[in-house]
Amino acid sequence: GMWFYYLKYDKNKIKYKDILKQIEIGKVDAKMKALTDIIMLDVNRTYFIKEQKEKREIIKNILCSLIYIYPNIGYCQGMNFICQFLLEATKDEVKTFDIFSAILSKTKYGNLITDEFSLMKKYFYVFERLIILYLPELATLLKQNNVFPSYYISPWFITLFTHSYGENQTKLLLRIFDLFILDGWIAIIKIGLMLLKHYQKILIEMNFEELLNFLINDLKEKYDFFNNNNYEKFMELYQEIKIPKGLVSNIGNEYELEKKIIEKQIKK
């Protein structure tokens, strides 16, 4: 309920069941049909529901309904994880649709995956600069190993950290959604920095393959807060990361400026 309040989203305005009927009648264009096939492939790959045909169908229906009402956003691989997490957390199909719909329409989530991922590319740059500022030793190691943020932060951002969801992580992931809904992308950036800071000592001992594997696959499985819902410790470390107001937007402006200079040089 609080999420809808903060997002100023009226869940009575868009009726999930009505949209589902429209789709079932076949009122969809060729683009939507193609996206539906991609969604089905992703949903079938969603690991913990392999044997649960009914849940797969529900997730497919929710995602298809969302791209039907937000065609300008469309679908991106990874949205299936958010959907599966919300369904497990709420145990309710309509609620899952309403929450995800509120996130798509009222936060800047949609901006992340539209316009050829231009916002995501900006965050790769921002994140790299922040690692240099906050974790210089780790930044040097990552650079020496050619491990760039573009290799590992996409799943963090696109799935809002739900990409390796296990049932014992529900409470903590709900807190992450609270932070995202209240503070936007700055919250996801801070969580990312916090994870790197927490694991710095382990990461410094790793080579390229180990680093990538850890950051993409193992991070959440081995991450004690995610696995035992250690909310107090999580929040304590989250609050330790102090990002001055305006820093992220200043780095973002720097990125835009550099991009314009490069584009001008290419045109020459």
Side-chain angles (χ1 to χ4, degrees), residues 127-143 152 156 189-201 203-204 215 241:
F127 203 79
E128 191 160 27
R129 298 278 281 114
L130 290 172
I131 299 168
I132 293 164
L133 284 171
Y134 285 81
L135 306 163
E137 194 185 348
L138 184 62
T140 306
L141 172 92
L142 293 171
K143 200 169 183 185
Y152 60 87
W156 301 358
I189 288 168
K190 278 176 77 170
I191 294 164
L193 280 175
M194 176 189 112
L195 292 170
L196 292 182
K197 186 182 176 185
H198 186 71
Y199 273 119
Q200 189 162 212
K201 287 190 180 80
L203 294 167
I204 280 166
L215 291 168
I241 304 279

Side-chain angles (χ1 to χ4, degrees), residues 182-233:
L182 284 171
D183 300 331
W185 289 117
I186 193 83
I188 304 301
I189 288 168
K190 278 176 77 170
I191 294 164
L193 280 175
M194 176 189 112
L195 292 170
L196 292 182
K197 186 182 176 185
H198 186 71
Y199 273 119
Q200 189 162 212
K201 287 190 180 80
I202 300 170
L203 294 167
I204 280 166
E205 303 299 316
M206 293 179 178
N207 62 31
F208 174 78
E209 278 179 24
E210 290 166 338
L211 277 165
L212 266 193
N213 191 45
F214 188 83
L215 291 168
I216 295 167
N217 304 315
D218 296 346
L219 191 66
K220 284 189 57 196
E221 280 170 38
K222 293 181 179 166
Y223 194 45
D224 39 347
F225 311 137
F226 281 100
N227 285 325
N228 60 21
N229 273 313
N230 193 341
Y231 176 61
E232 284 77 17
K233 184 71 177 162

Side-chain angles (χ1 to χ4, degrees), residues 28 50 70 79 95 98 108 112 114 117 123 132-133 154 177 185 193 195 206 233-234 238 248 254 260 263 266:
V28 294
K50 269 180 190 151
Y70 302 114
M79 286 165 73
K95 259 188 199 161
D98 285 337
K108 288 193 167 69
L112 194 73
T114 50
F117 293 91
Y123 284 135
I132 293 164
L133 284 171
S154 298
F177 274 66
W185 289 117
L193 280 175
L195 292 170
M206 293 179 178
K233 184 71 177 162
F234 178 90
Y238 178 80
V248 169
E254 189 185 287
K260 276 180 191 161
E263 279 165 5
I266 290 166

Side-chain angles (χ1 to χ4, degrees), residues 73-86:
I73 295 173
Y75 172 75
C76 175
Q77 191 175 24
M79 286 165 73
N80 50 314
F81 290 109
I82 293 179
C83 200
Q84 85 180 38
F85 163 65
L86 291 173

Side-chain angles (χ1 to χ4, degrees), residues 61-108:
N61 286 340
I62 292 167
L63 291 169
C64 287
S65 302
L66 289 167
I67 60 166
Y68 183 75
I69 56 168
Y70 302 114
N72 57 322
I73 295 173
Y75 172 75
C76 175
Q77 191 175 24
M79 286 165 73
N80 50 314
F81 290 109
I82 293 179
C83 200
Q84 85 180 38
F85 163 65
L86 291 173
L87 185 64
E88 287 297 312
T90 62
K91 305 277 187 282
D92 187 292
E93 186 173 350
V94 178
K95 259 188 199 161
T96 299
F97 170 82
D98 285 337
I99 293 166
F100 209 162
S101 175
I103 287 168
L104 289 179
S105 66
K106 300 291 184 177
T107 74
K108 288 193 167 69

